[in-house]
Amino acid sequence: MNPAVTGTADTTVTALRNGEIQWARTALSARRVLLEQIHANTARFAQEWVDTAARIKQLPEDSPLLGEEWVSGPYSLLTATTALAESLLALEQGHSPIDGYPTHAAPGDRTAVAVFPHGLFDALLLNGFHAEVWTRPGVDAETVRARAGLGQRTPTATGGIGVVLGAGNIFSIAPLDVLYQLYAYNRVVALKLNPLTDPLLPVFQKIFAPLVERGFLRIVTGGPEIGSALVHHPGVGAVHMTGSAVTHDAIVFGSGAEGARNRLAGTPRLDKPITSELGGVSPAIVVPGRWSDADLRYQAEHVATQRLHNNGYNCVAAQVVVIPADWPQKDRFLDELRAAIERAPQRPAYYPGSPERVADACATYPWAQRIGARVLIEGITPDRGEPLLHTEYFAPVLGVLELPGAAAEFLDRAVQVCNEEIEGTLGVNLIAHPATIRALGDRFDGAVAALRYGTVAINAWTGLGYLTARATWGAFPGHTLADIQSGIGVVHNGLLIEDPERTVVRGPFRPAPRSLLHGEFTLSPKPPWFVTNRTGATTLRRLTGFAHRPGFAALPGIFASALRG
């Protein structure tokens, strides 16, 4: 090991040991003030954050796609600090963080906590969208209430030093993971940035100055050597990473032939707990129904967004759209999907290895359709040997899997295929006409409960679960180091709920005003995160400002921009 690297790791850990002593002495009220300071700094340096992100992702300053950087950057950190500060205030006052949040029974002896909308502004800004956190089976509402708070219920019992290995695709991932280690696990943190995000170091240093100055956080840059030195340092007690299963296994078991032997024998090299968010092959299930031409166009744009947001460099980007082979409108939908992919703004392939992964997909599927720099692959089969169901391409590659049957039979089969044949359990999207959902009744609810995914989105994108600060984000529970799939544990979880199983997100099937004309009493227009939204950058920049300082005066500007999208 390079002596300079070893020295950096030793210095980092030594500083954090002292920081842990101070963290144990920091009262809940002071911890809440730290969140409020980070919140203020995030707003202050939000424009610098987005400008730096644009340079990394090679986006021009007038690109509508900059809305992605506002909402998945500073907006996400602003809402997370708000949610955590509210949870700490509740604990200070002797209450549970979920006091005031509706709870109800969910299928399978689970408890659902309604986490969105929370308050009038949520209901106005994203009217018609809802999110719930479901517990694991057997956890009742009173138990959820009593246990919420995690590490902040016993703040003096600190959890040692945690290492966060940051992601390189969505730039709020690493900051949010830092907060979760600090507040959920009560650990001080060494954050190792992904080299792709190194230009953001000055921004993050300024935003997190209150933590850095007190020794609660150290941010380091460099290659795999420094990451390995920190992860395996004897003074580090736990690790969290976001990335691929291949990277996870190399950290836990080692690389090459030795790593393969260790994995097979169940003898990890890593001698400390590791949590992870690793993505996978996320499906989008399209349930057959009688759709209007406008419905077909809108939902095609919805699926295109699920794949092409951030050019497909998302752990939860939809990679397989599962559609009914016997649906009379199937061909029309596929025509609209191709058109939506073509309409989406072209963008540079900034993420390393993307062109090679696209080329690999095209080599594997010679009949793949090139739509500009994007690839659509029809004719996928529901087999364990189907590469597109098991390889996370992390690129603008979308497959189409057709399954037989009318709505009920198709949905049952789709759930089975998603659970048993598709790699990963991070998120699944379900798109269904309201009349179809009503007709299926309990069978539809049963399908939602049966899907083994950490986030299930119904007529919404699972990415909204990521953006909802009080929701949980992570794989479906139950994975092991030897079969890691989409990872172990959750993040975000602003209410600090213990034993969550999944987040369920629901949205309107149609945007306003069409929703009102068809009996859906929701006011949300086309969502600003749609890749085809013309005013997404303006709307989401204004929404970020609102997240810093909510008030009725800001609403007209947000609504006006959203309606023009």
Side-chain angles (χ1 to χ4, degrees):
M1 180 74 70
N2 185 326
V5 169
T6 304
T8 299
D10 287 341
T11 301
T12 300
V13 171
T14 298
L16 288 170
R17 281 199 190 105
N18 294 328
E20 184 185 6
I21 295 170
Q22 297 306 315
W23 182 245
R25 297 170 178 168
T26 304
L28 289 178
S29 58
R31 296 181 182 197
R32 177 170 51 81
V33 169
L34 289 171
L35 289 166
E36 292 167 351
Q37 292 170 340
I38 294 167
H39 183 93
N41 288 346
T42 302
R44 181 181 176 188
F45 299 108
Q47 186 66 61
E48 183 181 349
W49 182 338
V50 172
D51 290 345
T52 306
R55 290 194 294 274
I56 295 171
K57 298 187 178 182
Q58 304 166 41
L59 293 173
E61 61 182 18
D62 61 347
S63 172
L65 295 173
L66 285 179
E68 298 178 359
E69 301 314 310
W70 282 103
V71 75
S72 66
Y75 170 85
S76 296
L77 188 52
L78 287 166
T79 55
T81 49
T82 296
L84 284 171
E86 290 179 1
S87 291
L88 262 66
L89 180 60
L91 291 167
E92 285 175 56
Q93 297 174 342
H95 304 304
S96 169
I98 71 165
D99 284 349
Y101 289 81
T103 61
H104 64 86
D109 194 27
R110 299 170 172 93
T111 297
V113 182
V115 299
F116 190 91
H118 176 59
L120 177 61
F121 288 139
D122 280 355
L124 289 173
L125 287 168
L126 285 175
N127 189 260
F129 288 89
H130 303 270
E132 299 175 341
V133 173
W134 288 14
T135 67
R136 302 188 194 204
V139 180
D140 61 24
E142 195 51 47
T143 301
V144 178
R145 192 175 308 281
R147 293 180 180 174
L150 297 178
Q152 299 311 298
R153 294 172 58 230
T154 54
T156 59
T158 52
I161 298 170
V163 169
V164 169
L165 301 177
N169 58 329
I170 294 294
F171 297 157
S172 62
I173 291 177
L176 295 176
D177 291 350
V178 164
L179 291 183
Y180 203 68
Q181 289 291 308
L182 198 60
Y183 285 90
Y185 291 107
N186 215 25
R187 294 177 186 135
V188 292
V189 184
L191 167 61
K192 160 62 175 67
L193 292 180
N194 184 294
L196 196 65
T197 67
D198 283 355
L200 282 163
L201 175 63
V203 180
F204 290 160
Q205 291 280 18
K206 286 182 276 194
I207 288 174
F208 285 107
L211 300 181
V212 174
E213 291 166 358
R214 290 164 177 80
F216 305 150
L217 170 66
R218 287 290 182 270
I219 307 176
V220 301
T221 60
E225 218 181 358
I226 181 61
S228 178
L230 285 168
V231 163
H232 293 285
H233 196 287
V236 167
V239 178
H240 177 81
M241 67 157 293
T242 301
S244 70
V246 172
T247 302
H248 172 275
D249 287 351
I251 292 169
V252 173
F253 295 107
S255 56
E258 180 194 1
R261 287 194 299 271
N262 288 339
R263 187 170 181 268
L264 189 63
T267 54
R269 289 178 58 228
L270 189 69
D271 60 351
K272 58 200 67 174
I274 180 170
T275 53
S276 51
E277 191 264 83
L278 306 176
V281 176
S282 293
I285 302 170
V286 178
V287 183
R290 294 183 61 183
W291 295 10
S292 70
D293 290 346
D295 294 338
L296 290 164
R297 181 184 177 96
Y298 175 78
Q299 294 298 349
E301 291 185 356
H302 198 177
V303 172
T305 293
Q306 293 168 10
R307 174 73 263 183
L308 297 179
H309 183 280
N310 198 33
N311 209 36
Y313 311 135
N314 287 339
C315 292
V316 78
Q319 184 168 295
V320 179
V321 53
V322 184
I323 64 173
D326 306 320
W327 186 26
Q329 295 179 297
K330 176 191 71 175
D331 292 337
R332 285 288 315 285
F333 177 77
L334 289 174
D335 288 344
E336 290 288 359
L337 180 58
R338 294 185 200 97
I341 293 171
E342 191 165 13
R343 283 195 305 276
Q346 297 292 323
R347 59 186 299 166
Y350 77 89
Y351 202 86
S354 176
E356 292 80 5
R357 290 190 294 274
V358 170
D360 180 61
C362 291
T364 303
Y365 297 97
W367 63 89
Q369 304 167 53
R370 286 270 194 172
I371 306 174
R374 292 78 180 256
V375 175
L376 184 67
I377 305 170
E378 299 181 49
I380 304 301
T381 59
D383 301 324
R384 290 189 182 275
E386 185 69 74
L388 204 140
L389 302 186
H390 297 276
T391 302
E392 183 185 12
Y393 281 104
F394 215 67
V397 174
L398 179 63
V400 178
L401 170 63
E402 297 186 20
L403 297 175
E409 293 76 18
F410 164 81
L411 183 57
D412 288 347
R413 177 67 172 137
V415 170
Q416 179 189 15
V417 168
C418 290
N419 282 343
E420 299 176 8
E421 308 295 344
I422 294 179
E423 193 81 12
T425 65
L426 186 59
V428 59
N429 308 279
L430 263 171
I431 298 174
H433 192 288
T436 304
I437 294 175
R438 287 194 297 271
L440 290 170
D442 291 343
R443 199 158 180 177
F444 185 86
D445 295 337
V448 172
L451 284 162
R452 297 194 293 269
Y453 284 82
T455 298
V456 180
I458 303 158
N459 290 333
W461 176 35
T462 46
L464 186 58
Y466 176 94
L467 297 174
T468 302
R470 296 171 180 85
T472 56
W473 184 253
F476 194 81
H479 301 315
T480 64
L481 292 181
D483 182 23
I484 196 61
Q485 295 278 322
S486 290
I488 295 172
V490 301
V491 289
H492 304 186
N493 189 20
L495 299 181
L496 300 174
I497 294 171
E498 191 174 273
D499 288 326
E501 181 187 68
R502 72 180 83 188
T503 287
V504 178
V505 179
R506 298 176 190 266
F509 181 72
R510 305 176 181 91
R514 284 198 306 112
S515 56
L516 299 172
L517 299 175
H518 290 84
E520 283 186 285
F521 298 107
T522 62
L523 301 176
S524 291
K526 178 193 286 188
W529 54 83
F530 268 40
V531 292
T532 50
N533 191 302
R534 298 186 300 271
T535 62
T538 300
T539 304
L540 294 171
R541 174 175 55 79
R542 291 176 178 175
L543 188 64
T544 301
F546 183 89
H548 169 51
R549 190 171 287 131
F552 285 101
L555 294 180
I558 297 173
F559 291 150
S561 179
L563 289 169
R564 291 195 301 269

